[in-house]
Amino acid sequence: MVALAQGMAAAHSSREAWRAAAVGACLALGGSFAALSVWERELGRLRVLVNVGRLAEGEEEFPEDESYPVHQFAEITEFLHERWAGGGEPDAWVETAEGPAAGRPGYVHQRVAALRRRGRGCCVVAPIVLHGRAWGELYVARPVGERVFERADADFATVLASVVAAGIAQTERLEEVRRLAFTDALTGLANRRAVDSALDEAVERHRREDVVVSLAVCDLNGLKRVNDTHGHAVGDRLLERFGSVLSLCGAMLPGALAARLGGDEFCLLAVGPSADAVVKAAEELCRRAAELELGDGVACGVASTEDPVGPVRSARRLFRLADAAQYRAKAERSARPVVAGREGPEDPVVRLADEPSRGEDGERRRFRGRHSP
């Protein structure tokens, strides 16, 4: 039980926590197989999250869609509610391939049939209760020929289920904290912190595997005017609307990260798709942004390791290239994205990005002054 709790505490994701729970329970109860399932109330089904141990034919560790109508396993709802209504606790029970067993709510034909079909002799089923509601179940089985689970095993499984519930609650809290730390509160997109982390990893992959990494940086035009004219609530709606458009266009690029960097600045980070595919998505973004009922479209700059911009050895350089391209687009009021490296060896965007170190604001003022009419 200690190992189960420690395994879940060490998990960095829900998947890891689910697997640690199933593995820990399987070992603690001396089973050959274990599964963790969640009750999806809105869909009326019990969905398997993870299977561990000796898997039967057709079973997968993390199944894509192994689920069962909950009415086939009514004890997950009816039995639990009856016990709680009577003042009792949700206890585990045992099923066997032969039928009725000790410590169980009643014969469940579907479970017995499943045991027989998969060559298992018995199982113990423990309800998992989270925040006072049935969350799902922990299931541990033994093969035919091994000792059948007894009442003491069911009692122990009940305790294990409570440990699993505590671990799941902790994992959910940690994931929510991580989500909030890497999410922009207004738009629901990734935030600057998430982009910095993802871009560092992407450039490292580019250096190791030569994978294409592209970054599109966007500046939403006219936000200040909207705020001054219509108020910040309307300005926020514009930001949210543009965030939705960015997400939609980002979906054109498998695995792309759509983010709000802050204020009126947004970006798309793509790892794998070609530079041309990213430019196409950026063009669609510019087109859609120009059609928004508020604002003045978007200034967009793109930089990709696939274009002739020279070696990209750091996330900072790729960002400077995309940022310089975006500011050229803004200075020229371009309706299309400006792409770093596509104007030949003396591309002004690349030259600006690689000029001796200047403060970010200084770079932008210099670039605006150079290209403004």
Side-chain angles (χ1 to χ4, degrees), residues 301-335:
V302 179
S304 175
T305 59
E306 195 175 47
D307 281 324
V309 295
V312 176
R313 297 190 175 93
S314 70
R316 177 172 173 75
R317 182 164 190 268
L318 188 65
F319 191 90
R320 284 167 62 94
L321 286 163
D323 194 51
Q326 183 256 305
Y327 269 85
R328 181 173 184 183
K330 193 172 189 72
E332 296 182 348
R333 298 183 174 87
S334 175

Tab-separated table of all heavy atoms in Angstrom, residues 301-335:
chain	number	residue	atom	x	y	z
A	301	GLY	N	4.677	37.721	-38.593
A	301	GLY	CA	6.004	37.378	-39.071
A	301	GLY	C	6.293	35.917	-38.818
A	301	GLY	O	5.894	35.372	-37.786
A	302	VAL	N	6.958	35.267	-39.766
A	302	VAL	CA	7.254	33.831	-39.664
A	302	VAL	C	8.752	33.605	-39.799
A	302	VAL	O	9.409	34.220	-40.654
A	302	VAL	CB	6.514	33.039	-40.764
A	302	VAL	CG1	6.853	31.548	-40.673
A	302	VAL	CG2	5.009	33.253	-40.664
A	303	ALA	N	9.280	32.721	-38.978
A	303	ALA	CA	10.671	32.285	-39.107
A	303	ALA	C	10.702	30.775	-38.979
A	303	ALA	O	10.023	30.204	-38.119
A	303	ALA	CB	11.538	32.925	-38.029
A	304	SER	N	11.488	30.129	-39.851
A	304	SER	CA	11.560	28.671	-39.844
A	304	SER	C	12.991	28.212	-40.057
A	304	SER	O	13.752	28.823	-40.827
A	304	SER	CB	10.662	28.091	-40.945
A	304	SER	OG	10.812	26.679	-41.024
A	305	THR	N	13.334	27.123	-39.397
A	305	THR	CA	14.671	26.547	-39.588
A	305	THR	C	14.836	25.982	-40.991
A	305	THR	O	15.960	25.704	-41.408
A	305	THR	CB	14.924	25.432	-38.565
A	305	THR	OG1	13.927	24.400	-38.725
A	305	THR	CG2	14.853	25.960	-37.141
A	306	GLU	N	13.731	25.810	-41.725
A	306	GLU	CA	13.798	25.266	-43.076
A	306	GLU	C	14.134	26.337	-44.105
A	306	GLU	O	14.531	26.019	-45.234
A	306	GLU	CB	12.464	24.593	-43.429
A	306	GLU	CG	12.525	23.693	-44.658
A	306	GLU	CD	11.218	22.956	-44.887
A	306	GLU	OE1	10.144	23.582	-44.842
A	306	GLU	OE2	11.296	21.732	-45.115
A	307	ASP	N	13.994	27.609	-43.741
A	307	ASP	CA	14.296	28.704	-44.655
A	307	ASP	C	15.755	29.139	-44.491
A	307	ASP	O	16.400	28.846	-43.473
A	307	ASP	CB	13.355	29.883	-44.386
A	307	ASP	CG	11.977	29.659	-44.994
A	307	ASP	OD1	11.914	29.060	-46.085
A	307	ASP	OD2	10.971	30.058	-44.378
A	308	PRO	N	16.311	29.860	-45.476
A	308	PRO	CA	17.721	30.270	-45.423
A	308	PRO	C	17.964	31.424	-44.456
A	308	PRO	O	18.171	32.582	-44.857
A	308	PRO	CB	18.006	30.686	-46.874
A	308	PRO	CG	16.694	31.112	-47.417
A	308	PRO	CD	15.674	30.222	-46.763
A	309	VAL	N	17.921	31.110	-43.167
A	309	VAL	CA	18.141	32.122	-42.129
A	309	VAL	C	19.445	31.880	-41.378
A	309	VAL	O	19.748	32.586	-40.420
A	309	VAL	CB	16.963	32.141	-41.128
A	309	VAL	CG1	15.679	32.576	-41.806
A	309	VAL	CG2	16.796	30.772	-40.457
A	310	GLY	N	20.222	30.869	-41.814
A	310	GLY	CA	21.430	30.518	-41.099
A	310	GLY	C	21.131	29.553	-39.976
A	310	GLY	O	19.974	29.208	-39.712
A	311	PRO	N	22.174	29.082	-39.302
A	311	PRO	CA	21.981	28.109	-38.212
A	311	PRO	C	21.111	28.676	-37.095
A	311	PRO	O	21.266	29.830	-36.700
A	311	PRO	CB	23.407	27.842	-37.714
A	311	PRO	CG	24.294	28.292	-38.825
A	311	PRO	CD	23.593	29.423	-39.500
A	312	VAL	N	20.185	27.850	-36.610
A	312	VAL	CA	19.350	28.235	-35.463
A	312	VAL	C	19.767	27.351	-34.297
A	312	VAL	O	19.373	26.192	-34.199
A	312	VAL	CB	17.850	28.070	-35.774
A	312	VAL	CG1	17.021	28.393	-34.527
A	312	VAL	CG2	17.439	28.981	-36.925
A	313	ARG	N	20.591	27.889	-33.443
A	313	ARG	CA	21.135	27.106	-32.328
A	313	ARG	C	20.472	27.440	-31.001
A	313	ARG	O	20.778	26.834	-29.989
A	313	ARG	CB	22.645	27.326	-32.220
A	313	ARG	CG	23.420	26.854	-33.456
A	313	ARG	CD	24.919	26.871	-33.206
A	313	ARG	NE	25.640	26.324	-34.338
A	313	ARG	CZ	26.121	27.054	-35.343
A	313	ARG	NH1	25.929	28.363	-35.348
A	313	ARG	NH2	26.777	26.489	-36.336
A	314	SER	N	19.599	28.435	-31.015
A	314	SER	CA	18.931	28.802	-29.763
A	314	SER	C	17.505	29.239	-30.042
A	314	SER	O	17.176	29.726	-31.140
A	314	SER	CB	19.689	29.951	-29.071
A	314	SER	OG	19.543	31.153	-29.802
A	315	ALA	N	16.656	29.068	-29.040
A	315	ALA	CA	15.272	29.517	-29.145
A	315	ALA	C	15.221	31.030	-29.311
A	315	ALA	O	14.382	31.563	-30.036
A	315	ALA	CB	14.499	29.085	-27.898
A	316	ARG	N	16.135	31.713	-28.666
A	316	ARG	CA	16.154	33.186	-28.729
A	316	ARG	C	16.342	33.665	-30.167
A	316	ARG	O	15.673	34.608	-30.601
A	316	ARG	CB	17.263	33.739	-27.836
A	316	ARG	CG	17.393	35.248	-27.908
A	316	ARG	CD	18.366	35.765	-26.869
A	316	ARG	NE	18.611	37.185	-27.057
A	316	ARG	CZ	17.770	38.165	-26.730
A	316	ARG	NH1	16.605	37.860	-26.197
A	316	ARG	NH2	18.082	39.432	-26.926
A	317	ARG	N	17.235	33.008	-30.927
A	317	ARG	CA	17.463	33.481	-32.301
A	317	ARG	C	16.218	33.279	-33.160
A	317	ARG	O	15.855	34.156	-33.954
A	317	ARG	CB	18.652	32.774	-32.941
A	317	ARG	CG	18.909	33.317	-34.358
A	317	ARG	CD	20.251	32.965	-34.923
A	317	ARG	NE	20.455	33.722	-36.159
A	317	ARG	CZ	20.146	33.279	-37.384
A	317	ARG	NH1	19.643	32.068	-37.539
A	317	ARG	NH2	20.346	34.031	-38.437
A	318	LEU	N	15.549	32.126	-33.029
A	318	LEU	CA	14.350	31.906	-33.833
A	318	LEU	C	13.282	32.927	-33.472
A	318	LEU	O	12.582	33.459	-34.346
A	318	LEU	CB	13.822	30.484	-33.624
A	318	LEU	CG	12.688	30.072	-34.568
A	318	LEU	CD1	13.180	30.027	-36.019
A	318	LEU	CD2	12.116	28.705	-34.178
A	319	PHE	N	13.170	33.227	-32.181
A	319	PHE	CA	12.172	34.215	-31.764
A	319	PHE	C	12.522	35.600	-32.305
A	319	PHE	O	11.646	36.345	-32.760
A	319	PHE	CB	12.056	34.255	-30.240
A	319	PHE	CG	10.881	35.057	-29.760
A	319	PHE	CD1	9.657	34.462	-29.567
A	319	PHE	CD2	11.003	36.425	-29.536
A	319	PHE	CE1	8.559	35.203	-29.156
A	319	PHE	CE2	9.911	37.179	-29.128
A	319	PHE	CZ	8.691	36.558	-28.933
A	320	ARG	N	13.813	35.966	-32.284
A	320	ARG	CA	14.222	37.272	-32.811
A	320	ARG	C	13.923	37.378	-34.301
A	320	ARG	O	13.508	38.428	-34.796
A	320	ARG	CB	15.715	37.493	-32.548
A	320	ARG	CG	16.048	37.855	-31.108
A	320	ARG	CD	17.536	37.734	-30.855
A	320	ARG	NE	18.303	38.654	-31.687
A	320	ARG	CZ	18.688	39.870	-31.317
A	320	ARG	NH1	18.346	40.332	-30.127
A	320	ARG	NH2	19.405	40.632	-32.109
A	321	LEU	N	14.133	36.286	-35.034
A	321	LEU	CA	13.839	36.286	-36.467
A	321	LEU	C	12.344	36.500	-36.724
A	321	LEU	O	11.943	37.329	-37.551
A	321	LEU	CB	14.288	34.962	-37.088
A	321	LEU	CG	15.794	34.774	-37.278
A	321	LEU	CD1	16.124	33.295	-37.486
A	321	LEU	CD2	16.283	35.604	-38.480
A	322	ALA	N	11.501	35.739	-36.002
A	322	ALA	CA	10.051	35.872	-36.180
A	322	ALA	C	9.573	37.247	-35.727
A	322	ALA	O	8.702	37.864	-36.358
A	322	ALA	CB	9.333	34.767	-35.412
A	323	ASP	N	10.161	37.745	-34.639
A	323	ASP	CA	9.774	39.044	-34.102
A	323	ASP	C	10.128	40.159	-35.078
A	323	ASP	O	9.336	41.077	-35.335
A	323	ASP	CB	10.484	39.259	-32.763
A	323	ASP	CG	9.892	40.401	-31.970
A	323	ASP	OD1	8.669	40.420	-31.794
A	323	ASP	OD2	10.665	41.267	-31.526
A	324	ALA	N	11.342	40.063	-35.671
A	324	ALA	CA	11.747	41.071	-36.654
A	324	ALA	C	10.845	41.026	-37.886
A	324	ALA	O	10.460	42.070	-38.434
A	324	ALA	CB	13.211	40.844	-37.047
A	325	ALA	N	10.477	39.821	-38.329
A	325	ALA	CA	9.575	39.689	-39.476
A	325	ALA	C	8.208	40.294	-39.162
A	325	ALA	O	7.589	40.969	-40.003
A	325	ALA	CB	9.440	38.223	-39.857
A	326	GLN	N	7.745	40.068	-37.946
A	326	GLN	CA	6.446	40.615	-37.560
A	326	GLN	C	6.463	42.141	-37.542
A	326	GLN	O	5.517	42.795	-37.998
A	326	GLN	CB	6.056	40.066	-36.183
A	326	GLN	CG	4.690	40.509	-35.703
A	326	GLN	CD	4.784	41.581	-34.647
A	326	GLN	OE1	5.451	41.404	-33.636
A	326	GLN	NE2	4.137	42.699	-34.871
A	327	TYR	N	7.553	42.715	-37.067
A	327	TYR	CA	7.608	44.179	-37.014
A	327	TYR	C	7.778	44.799	-38.393
A	327	TYR	O	7.329	45.910	-38.638
A	327	TYR	CB	8.698	44.635	-36.039
A	327	TYR	CG	8.081	44.786	-34.679
A	327	TYR	CD1	7.958	43.694	-33.849
A	327	TYR	CD2	7.529	45.992	-34.272
A	327	TYR	CE1	7.332	43.797	-32.635
A	327	TYR	CE2	6.892	46.111	-33.044
A	327	TYR	CZ	6.796	45.001	-32.235
A	327	TYR	OH	6.158	45.108	-31.037
A	328	ARG	N	8.391	44.055	-39.305
A	328	ARG	CA	8.412	44.562	-40.684
A	328	ARG	C	7.002	44.535	-41.269
A	328	ARG	O	6.572	45.476	-41.957
A	328	ARG	CB	9.350	43.728	-41.541
A	328	ARG	CG	9.403	44.263	-42.964
A	328	ARG	CD	10.412	43.599	-43.820
A	328	ARG	NE	10.452	44.234	-45.127
A	328	ARG	CZ	11.205	43.835	-46.119
A	328	ARG	NH1	12.007	42.794	-45.965
A	328	ARG	NH2	11.183	44.463	-47.272
A	329	ALA	N	6.276	43.428	-40.990
A	329	ALA	CA	4.894	43.353	-41.480
A	329	ALA	C	4.064	44.495	-40.919
A	329	ALA	O	3.239	45.098	-41.624
A	329	ALA	CB	4.289	42.002	-41.088
A	330	LYS	N	4.289	44.826	-39.658
A	330	LYS	CA	3.518	45.900	-39.030
A	330	LYS	C	3.892	47.255	-39.626
A	330	LYS	O	3.029	48.083	-39.933
A	330	LYS	CB	3.756	45.915	-37.521
A	330	LYS	CG	2.758	46.776	-36.745
A	330	LYS	CD	2.955	46.581	-35.268
A	330	LYS	CE	1.825	47.247	-34.483
A	330	LYS	NZ	0.548	46.523	-34.621
A	331	ALA	N	5.200	47.484	-39.818
A	331	ALA	CA	5.645	48.769	-40.360
A	331	ALA	C	5.139	48.980	-41.778
A	331	ALA	O	4.825	50.112	-42.172
A	331	ALA	CB	7.170	48.830	-40.335
A	332	GLU	N	5.068	47.910	-42.551
A	332	GLU	CA	4.628	48.023	-43.943
A	332	GLU	C	3.124	47.823	-44.100
A	332	GLU	O	2.615	47.843	-45.220
A	332	GLU	CB	5.379	46.998	-44.794
A	332	GLU	CG	6.884	47.253	-44.834
A	332	GLU	CD	7.619	46.268	-45.710
A	332	GLU	OE1	7.009	45.251	-46.120
A	332	GLU	OE2	8.805	46.511	-45.998
A	333	ARG	N	2.433	47.604	-42.974
A	333	ARG	CA	0.988	47.354	-42.989
A	333	ARG	C	0.650	46.222	-43.969
A	333	ARG	O	-0.305	46.299	-44.741
A	333	ARG	CB	0.218	48.619	-43.342
A	333	ARG	CG	0.405	49.746	-42.346
A	333	ARG	CD	-0.437	50.967	-42.710
A	333	ARG	NE	-0.347	51.985	-41.674
A	333	ARG	CZ	0.599	52.922	-41.630
A	333	ARG	NH1	1.538	52.935	-42.560
A	333	ARG	NH2	0.627	53.811	-40.663
A	334	SER	N	1.454	45.191	-43.912
A	334	SER	CA	1.293	44.073	-44.838
A	334	SER	C	0.061	43.248	-44.476
A	334	SER	O	-0.176	42.928	-43.309
A	334	SER	CB	2.535	43.175	-44.800
A	334	SER	OG	2.347	42.025	-45.596
A	335	ALA	N	-0.709	42.897	-45.497
A	335	ALA	CA	-1.897	42.058	-45.296
A	335	ALA	C	-1.521	40.577	-45.287
A	335	ALA	O	-2.376	39.723	-45.030
A	335	ALA	CB	-2.922	42.330	-46.385
